[in-house]
């Protein structure tokens, strides 16, 4: 590739990056603007001084910091349970032999073909029967063993955990649970990091499940709480943008810190 082609490629990538980053930039800019200024033509391009006022409106209209806390709680619980159950299932499907193994794995993979909207009514009925409406356990327990997570952990374990090492541990008298916890799990750290990041981001951004089961504003997670700011007459757009910016900051920081881990986990199984 000659110098001109490289410069052209960099220019195309740069323009694409600017286009994708523009919504984030304007979100942070609008978070510092008043509702009137946001709708000026042309729109404001630089930061202003209304951020504290917008946050004051946000915390007046919503129990905002409690909503942040619930989102963090649900995200951490979803991540911890998903990592535990999916790693156990992935380890079993990849490295253990048992009856109906292929059929069960095919059944797990088959659930990925069911559109998410088809689960809404059955999920609500189950949560209602269990008495979990307006409780946060309804947001992290049902999806604690996702088909995608099981598939990811199974593929990674099959390609990176040597069976000879497990057999040697069995000869030494290690239990199956001990082998999983002390040998297999540490070897699956790259995949665990990737799955944990994906799960936390998905839980943090989850809107539909809280919409189905949550009833009181004090129990809302962030996406549902911010949606409640919309009004047919007077939406506080500055406060909404401020809340969106605050909700986005943890994800940006998390992704910047763990992006290398994410890429390594997704590609490790392909470069055995």
């Amino acid at each position: 590739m000659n110098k001109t082609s490289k410069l052209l490629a960099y220019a195309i990538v740069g323009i694409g990056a600017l286009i994708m980053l523009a919504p984030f930039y304007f979100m942070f800019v609008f978070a510092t603007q008043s509702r009137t200024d946001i709708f000026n033509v042309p729109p404001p391009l630089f930061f202003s001084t209304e951020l504290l006022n917008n946050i004051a409106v946000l915390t007046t209209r919503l129990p905002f910091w409690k909503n942040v806390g619930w989102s963090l709680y649900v995200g951490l619980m979803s991540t911890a349970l998903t990592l535990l159950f999916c790693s156990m299932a992935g380890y079993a499907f990849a490295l253990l032999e048992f009856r109906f193994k292929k059929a069960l794995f095919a059944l797990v993979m088959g659930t990925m073909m069911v559109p998410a909207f088809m689960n809404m009514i059955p999920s609500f009925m189950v949560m209602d029967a269990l008495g979990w409406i307006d409780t946060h356990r309804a947001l992290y327990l049902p999806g604690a063993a996702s088909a995608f997570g099981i598939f990811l952990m199974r593929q990674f374990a099959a390609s990176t955990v040597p069976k000879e090492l497990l057999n040697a541990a069995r000869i030494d008298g290690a239990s199956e649970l001990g082998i999983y916890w002390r040998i297999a799990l540490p070897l699956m750290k790259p995949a665990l990091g990737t799955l944990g990041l994906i799960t936390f981001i998905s839980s943090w951004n989850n809107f539909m499940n809280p919409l189905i089961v949550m009833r009181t504003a004090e129990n809302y997670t962030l996406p549902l709480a911010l949606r409640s700011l919309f009004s047919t007459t007077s939406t506080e757009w500055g406060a909404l943008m401020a809340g969106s910016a605050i909700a986005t900051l943890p994800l940006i920081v998390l992704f910047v810190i763990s992006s290398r881990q994410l890429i390594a986990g997704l590609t490790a199984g392909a470069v055995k």
Side-chain angles (χ1 to χ4, degrees):
M1 182 181 292
N2 57 38
K3 187 175 181 179
T4 304
S5 299
K6 287 184 178 180
L7 290 175
L8 180 61
Y10 286 139
I12 294 174
V13 172
I15 293 172
L18 288 175
I19 293 173
M20 288 187 292
L21 290 174
F24 293 98
Y25 175 76
F26 280 106
M27 177 181 65
F28 286 106
V29 169
F30 291 164
T32 65
Q33 306 284 342
S34 67
R35 183 173 63 178
T36 304
D37 293 336
I38 289 174
F39 290 96
N40 284 343
V41 179
L45 300 177
F46 302 103
F47 296 96
S48 185
T49 59
E50 295 293 321
L51 177 61
L52 295 180
N53 291 334
N54 289 333
I55 292 177
V57 173
L58 182 67
T59 54
T60 300
R61 297 278 297 271
L62 294 172
F64 180 72
W65 300 115
K66 182 178 288 188
N67 300 141
V68 172
W70 283 127
S71 282
L72 184 61
Y73 167 73
V74 171
L76 292 176
M77 289 297 296
S78 296
T79 302
L81 292 176
T82 297
L83 291 181
L84 176 63
F85 293 137
C86 289
S87 63
M88 294 178 70
Y91 166 78
F93 279 124
L95 300 168
L96 300 181
E97 296 298 330
F98 51 90
R99 293 185 64 186
F100 309 116
K101 173 180 172 179
K102 292 184 178 179
L104 289 173
F105 186 69
L107 180 63
V108 171
M109 292 296 97
T111 62
M112 298 178 67
M113 301 177 64
V114 180
F117 69 87
M118 293 185 64
N119 293 326
M120 292 181 185
I121 296 177
S123 295
F124 175 81
M125 294 174 66
V126 171
M127 296 302 104
D128 187 40
L130 293 173
W132 288 4
I133 297 298
D134 205 28
T135 64
H136 295 94
R137 67 176 71 95
L139 301 181
Y140 57 78
L141 283 178
S146 66
F148 170 77
I150 293 172
F151 175 76
L152 177 65
M153 299 306 297
R154 186 257 186 193
Q155 296 302 104
F156 191 88
S159 63
T160 59
V161 181
K163 291 185 177 180
E164 293 81 4
L165 185 62
L166 306 185
N167 291 332
R170 293 189 182 101
I171 293 174
D172 289 339
S175 65
E176 289 298 331
L177 183 60
I179 293 172
Y180 156 77
W181 188 259
R182 297 179 181 178
I183 298 175
L185 200 61
L187 293 176
M188 295 193 293
K189 280 184 179 179
L192 289 171
T194 301
L195 181 60
L197 179 62
I198 294 173
T199 303
F200 184 84
I201 292 175
S202 176
S203 174
W204 187 270
N205 292 329
N206 190 5
F207 172 76
M208 191 55 65
N209 288 346
L211 179 65
I212 293 173
V213 300
M214 289 300 164
R215 293 293 177 268
T216 56
E218 288 76 13
N219 289 333
Y220 285 173
T221 53
L222 269 176
L224 190 58
L226 294 176
R227 175 61 180 83
S228 67
L229 287 176
F230 281 95
S231 170
T232 57
T233 56
S234 60
T235 299
E236 293 289 347
W237 290 102
L240 181 60
M241 290 296 103
S244 300
I246 294 172
T248 304
L249 277 175
L251 299 185
I252 294 176
V253 173
L254 180 64
F255 184 79
V256 169
I257 294 174
S258 57
S259 58
R260 184 172 298 179
Q261 175 75 29
L262 173 64
I263 296 171
L266 289 175
T267 59
V271 293
K272 178 182 176 183

